[in-house]
Each structure stands twice: as C-alpha cells, then as structure tokens.
Amino acid sequence: MKKIMLNRGEYADRVYGCWIGKNIGGTLGGPFEGRREILDVSGYTTPAGEPLPNDDLDLQLVWLKAVIERGVQNITAQLLGEYWIDYIPPPWGEYGVAKMNLRSGLLPPVSGTYANDILKNSNGAWIRSEIWACLFPGAPDAAIRLAYEDASVDHGVSEGMYAELFTAAVESAAFVIGGVRELIRVGLSKIPAESLVARAVRIAEESYDGGLSWQEARARVVNDSVPAIGWFQAPANVGFVIIGWLYGEGDFGKSLLIATNCGDDTDCTAATLGAILGIMRGAKRLPAEWTAPLGDRIATIAIDRGKAKAFWPTTLAALTEMTVRQAAPALVAFNVPVELHEGKTDLSALSGMDLCSASAAAEICARPPYAVRIDAVHSIVTLDYQRAPELKTGEPFTVRLYIRSVAMDYCRYEIIWHLPPGIRVAEGAETCISLLRHDIEKNLMNRGAGKVREPLTFTLIPESLEGGTIRGILEVRAAGRPNVGFIPLVFFHGAN
C-alpha cells in the first residue's frame, strides 16, 4: 500500500506548534475557567513570560513517559491506570473518582464508569488527546485506539470518551488535511452520530452556515445539552471549540478568543483549539504576538515532579523532541501507511485512503462500559459485569464471558472461578470451551459455515456476604499453553 510520506522537519514543526498552541490556549483561558456567562476577553491577563500550569498538558507528559518506558504497542488502559496512581496526585472531578475505583481494584473501563454518572461526561479526557495525534500523524484510526485506552480510565464509555475520539482524530488528520470542514468530518466519523458531542458539533456548523452570530451559536449549543447534563461537560465545550474554529475564520487569535469567550471550561477549549491550529500551521507560522509573551517553558500542576524528576521535560522544545523520537516506532508498531523521512512531504497516497472510515471507531464505541479485557497471550478474554459491580445477599448477578482465541491451533479453554466463601456459580454453567483462532472462525462464518458464537453466561449466587469489598479471580487456561489469563473480580456489598 502506498504511504503518506511526511518530511521529518515539517512534522516536527507541527508537533512543536501543537504544544505551543496548547500552552497559549491554556494560559489565555485559564483565568476564566468555570465562568458560565459570555465573556469579553481580548488577550492575555497574566504576567508576560509565564505560562499558566495546565493539567491538559501535564497528563500527556505522564502518557509519554509510559510510551517511552513500555513501548507504544503495550499501552493499555490498565497500564495508564497504574501510571495515573504513580504520578498524578490531584483528586479533581472524574480524576478522583477513577483513582478511588482503581485503588479499589476496578479495572478500566469500569474505573471510569462506576459511581461516575455525571463526571464521566466531563472534560478530563478530550483535553489530553494531542499526544496520540502527534504519535500517529495522518492516522486517525490508530490515534483513536489509544485515545480510547486513555479516556476509558476515568470516563468509561461515555460522552467524555467520544469527545476524546473526536479530538484525537481531528488532530491526527490535521497533519495531512488543511480544510476545517474536512477535519470536522473526520472527527464526526469516529463517534456515534446520535451522541451529544456529535450534536454539538453539528449545531455549531449549522449555526455558522445559517449566518447566526457566534453568540447565537453558543446559545444553541448550550440549550442542547446543558439542561440535561449540566455545565462543565464535554458536549457543550467541544461545541465551543468548533464555534471558535469556524467563526475565527483562519485567524489564530480571533479563533482562540471566541472559544474562550464562550465561557465554561475555558482553559480546555482554548488549549485544544490552540493545539489544532498549531498542528495546522506549524510553530513557524504561529503569530509572534501570541507566542512571544509566553516563551517555551512548561509549568505543571497535576503531576508529581518529585517522582522521576529527571524525566519531565521543562520546555516545549524538549517535549517536541521526545515526542518526535517516539513517532516512527509508533507508526511501524501499528502498521499504519505513514512514514517520516528526510525528503519532501508527499500526500498523494491520501487519494486512496478513507480517513473517514467508521469501522474501527464503531468497534470501539460498541464496547460495553462494564466489560474488562485482558490479554492472556493465547486469547483476549473479556468479562462483562453488565451493570454496577454491587452484590446483594440472595440476589443473583449475571456476567458474560467472551474468549477470542488468537492461538494458531484449535484450543480448549478451561474456565475456573476463585470466589470467596458465601458466593457460588449457579449450576449448569460451561467450564470448558473449544475455539478456533478468531479470524479463521470469522472466515468460516462469512462463507456460511457456522454462526456467531454467543458469549458464555454465568450467574453468581451470593448466599452470604462479608465486608464492603468482595474480591475473587476468574482464571482462563488454554490446554497445552504455558500462559494463564487472570481477571481480578471486584464487587461491592450493596444494600438489600
């Protein structure tokens, strides 16, 4: 397959532009975070030479550390959850809920779903999507794979997660596409059309096309979702980003000011739009009136600098260099048709690609919010709690188990439950299953040989419960294979 060829220097300049734009927007919007009215900001209101610290950028330093230390191909939500506990102290909003759940033993996406009905739709995920876009320039389907792993830690499967898929796709595509509407189309192709995030984006577009003022567009975006889910949520704030982008009409400063003046989560909206425009323009084409007052320093607020102090970059230039070094291996690891080289940028391969393909995104968005996946080497094992993991004495709790074999041989899998006293598995459940490699089985089904295999269903019977947290283990063994899959089971004692 023909590849998109990106000049390494031009790519690096766009990455630098991304991080500079992020710093600019966060500093511009930061002082007004949480204001719900239309604002009248006309420029920086903070001392010259000092960028404001912003968790939007901070968390991405932690994700980059995970990529460097573990390899991009090994990034999972479980791994990011471990890095979160190690390096991200703040208990703010959904961050705090996720850390509480992680420390209780819940794995993502359950960590971002349980006891998180309101905050899972908030802004904590989509504001940190740039790292995935910069690692996968021109490859939005690869970027959203890791955006999901990221967002599911503290947002589960929600509007907050859809928002990160949208921004990651837009930012990735912005390395190779220059049209605003085309980029928005790429982003919308990666999220459910009926989602509130998609609706907010379409309302912003329709308002602009209909000749409404940006203030009228903002009112329409607010009225669509705020009465239902409240302020400081992803749908309206992503809508504000699009309003700033469209009504700014290519002017960097005007775009960021409009996004900021929409109010609400102003540091996030301005920072994300600044990053998008920074990718599109590159650092060299960013206006000096916006770059000069801030300089190149990174100020942090949400990471523990005392741990691994020598790692954290202190300038945007250093962050750019670290990011760029990881991009080539990332593109190879994910087998995407994009390559960095020293020659001229050649985008002719784009004509044979569909960056708006929805197939990869549809699979991601269909993942259940209470389903935990682990890689058992010979298989991918998914346990779906199906609902909040709360047990009540005498009330059955049904879970589903999916085993996707990746072994070359026909394999027999044994399912073993390790449960505390007082809980048993209802009689009649399967304890063994024989499976073909999943892609071979799929090909056979496509030829009409067989049907889609239903998940295994197990009903847990809690006859007596002790303690507030109930733990167990689900073990999946493959006959003749040395590796064993273990899924930690965590339930809470619910009131009868």
Side-chain angles (χ1 to χ4, degrees), residues 105-130:
L106 294 176
L107 295 177
V110 186
S111 61
T113 303
Y114 180 68
N116 202 20
D117 288 344
I118 296 175
L119 295 171
K120 68 183 180 185
N121 296 315
S122 192
N123 301 310
W126 62 272
I127 62 174
R128 58 183 195 245
S129 60
E130 288 81 18

Side-chain angles (χ1 to χ4, degrees), residues 260-387:
T260 300
N261 285 327
C262 284
D264 205 18
D265 205 350
T266 48
D267 64 320
C268 296
T269 53
T272 296
L273 184 52
I276 293 171
L277 296 175
I279 293 170
M280 295 177 73
R281 286 169 170 254
K284 294 174 183 175
R285 295 178 56 225
L286 290 175
E289 65 192 273
W290 288 99
T291 60
L294 290 193
D296 200 50
R297 191 172 72 86
I298 295 174
T300 62
I301 192 173
I303 57 175
D304 187 345
R305 279 195 169 272
K307 295 179 178 178
K309 184 178 180 180
F311 171 84
W312 310 116
T314 57
T315 66
L316 299 173
L319 173 58
T320 297
E321 183 180 345
M322 293 167 71
T323 305
V324 169
R325 278 203 304 267
Q326 298 305 311
L331 294 168
V332 171
F334 278 58
N335 194 31
V336 296
V338 179
E339 185 177 328
L340 305 178
H341 72 151
E342 303 304 323
K344 292 183 178 180
T345 291
D346 180 0
L347 303 180
S348 60
L350 272 174
S351 61
M353 298 179 185
D354 182 9
L355 297 192
C356 290
S357 171
S359 56
E363 185 276 325
I364 291 171
C365 294
R367 294 176 186 173
Y370 283 104
V372 173
R373 287 183 303 148
I374 61 112
D375 186 342
V377 183
H378 47 65
S379 59
I380 307 299
V381 182
T382 302
L383 176 74
D384 188 358
Y385 288 92
Q386 300 191 90
R387 58 187 174 94

Side-chain angles (χ1 to χ4, degrees), residues 435 441-442 444-455:
L435 296 173
E441 191 172 64
K442 184 177 180 180
L444 288 172
M445 286 188 292
N446 289 340
R447 298 205 303 263
K451 59 182 180 179
V452 176
R453 187 182 296 274
E454 294 296 323

